[in-house]
């Protein structure tokens, strides 16, 4: 969660800038900001991937992970980190689609990836008996699936997403746009990171209580997140609408 928080905040910040250009009818601005955001996502994804692979043991020790599950936890986190770069880029691409009002498309691709994750979990864990390693591989492969689908679709439907076309040919990162994205995204990154950091502190506290306590807290957190996601989604949708109206100059 701590690693993903950075990408979630960055994609939300980029969505603010893209939605304002889109509301103003500035197609060139939308394309330039989308390309800049995706390049920043690539850089951030590579950094997070390297950090996750290198610092997994240190992070887990800091969180006081029980010794009996330490090796499996390190294995899972390191394998999971290999998919971080794809996860960050997908979140950014989905944020761009949401910013221009195409939230259904990103939902469809996320649903496909989620079901593929479930299928791979059942196959690798239940069928192949790969345990924690299988769960991690299933998660990484599902990240490949969701990014692959959105990449193929955006390049075969350029009439619907012309602002993403040719992003791999544009390696420049405009300074002004980068500063705007960072300025909008930094508070959101800090917000997500502080929340994840708080969860990490709680994990550190109850991990010493044994595996039963860890499992109980994780289950209850999953349930509460099902309720929280409703309000998080409403807030994200409102931010996009406000951004588009602000870009169009419709302050009322």
């Amino acid at each position: 969660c701590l690693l993903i928080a950075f990408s979630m905040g960055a994609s939300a910040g980029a969505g603010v800038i893209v939605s304002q250009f889109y509301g103003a009818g500035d197609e060139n601005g939308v394309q330039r900001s989308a390309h800049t955001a995706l390049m920043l996502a690539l850089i951030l994804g590579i950094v997070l991937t390297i950090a996750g692979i290198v610092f997994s043991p240190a992070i887990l020790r800091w969180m006081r992970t029980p010794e009996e599950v330490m090796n499996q936890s390190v294995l899972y986190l390191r394998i999971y980190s290999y998919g971080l770069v794809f996860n960050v880029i997908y979140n950014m691409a989905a944020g761009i689609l949401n910013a221009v009002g195409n939230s259904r498309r990103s939902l469809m691709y996320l649903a496909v990836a989620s079901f593929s994750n479930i299928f791979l979990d059942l196959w690798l864990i239940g069928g192949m008996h790969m345990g924690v390693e299988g769960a991690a591989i299933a998660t990484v492969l599902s990240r490949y699936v969701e990014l692959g689908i959105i990449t193929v679709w955006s390049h075969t439907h350029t009439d619907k997403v012309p602002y993403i076309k040719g992003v791999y040919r544009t390696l420049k990162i405009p300074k002004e746009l980068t500063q705007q994205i960072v300025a909008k995204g930094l508070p959101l990154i800090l917000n997500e990171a502080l929340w994840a950091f708080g969860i990490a502190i709680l994990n550190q506290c109850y991990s010493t209580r044994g595996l039963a306590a860890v499992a109980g807290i994780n289950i209850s957190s999953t349930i509460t997140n099902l309720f929280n996601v409703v309000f998080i989604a409403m807030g994200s949708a409102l931010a996009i609408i406000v951004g588009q109206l602000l870009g169009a100059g419709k302050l009322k």
Side-chain angles (χ1 to χ4, degrees), residues 15-31 33 99-100 240-250:
V16 171
I17 302 298
V18 173
S19 65
Q20 290 181 2
F21 279 121
Y22 185 77
D26 185 352
E27 293 187 6
N28 182 56
V30 172
Q31 186 175 40
S33 59
V100 298
I240 292 168
I241 293 172
V242 171
Q244 292 180 355
L245 293 174
L246 184 63
K250 298 181 180 180

Side-chain angles (χ1 to χ4, degrees), residues 142-174:
S142 68
R143 297 290 180 262
Y144 295 166
V145 169
E146 63 185 3
L147 181 59
I149 293 175
I150 200 171
T151 300
V152 171
W153 178 79
S154 63
H155 282 78
T156 55
H157 294 77
T158 52
D159 56 321
K160 297 180 180 179
V161 281
Y163 32 84
I164 295 182
K165 180 181 179 182
V167 64
Y168 48 82
R169 302 192 193 100
T170 307
L171 300 179
K172 296 180 180 179
I173 303 180

Side-chain angles (χ1 to χ4, degrees), residues 75-138:
L75 176 64
Y76 180 90
L77 191 54
R78 278 182 167 163
I79 295 175
Y80 179 85
S81 296
Y82 282 105
L84 278 175
V85 63
F86 301 96
N87 192 20
V88 173
I89 296 174
Y90 172 81
N91 284 337
M92 189 65 79
I96 293 170
L97 289 179
N98 293 339
V100 298
N102 199 346
S103 57
R104 292 183 180 180
R105 185 65 58 175
S106 57
L107 172 62
M108 289 170 54
Y109 299 151
L110 184 59
V112 172
S114 297
F115 282 112
S116 67
N117 195 352
I118 294 172
F119 170 78
L120 289 168
D121 275 334
L122 293 174
W123 178 46
L124 295 175
I125 299 174
M128 303 295 291
H129 306 290
M130 295 180 66
V132 170
E133 183 180 9
I137 293 174

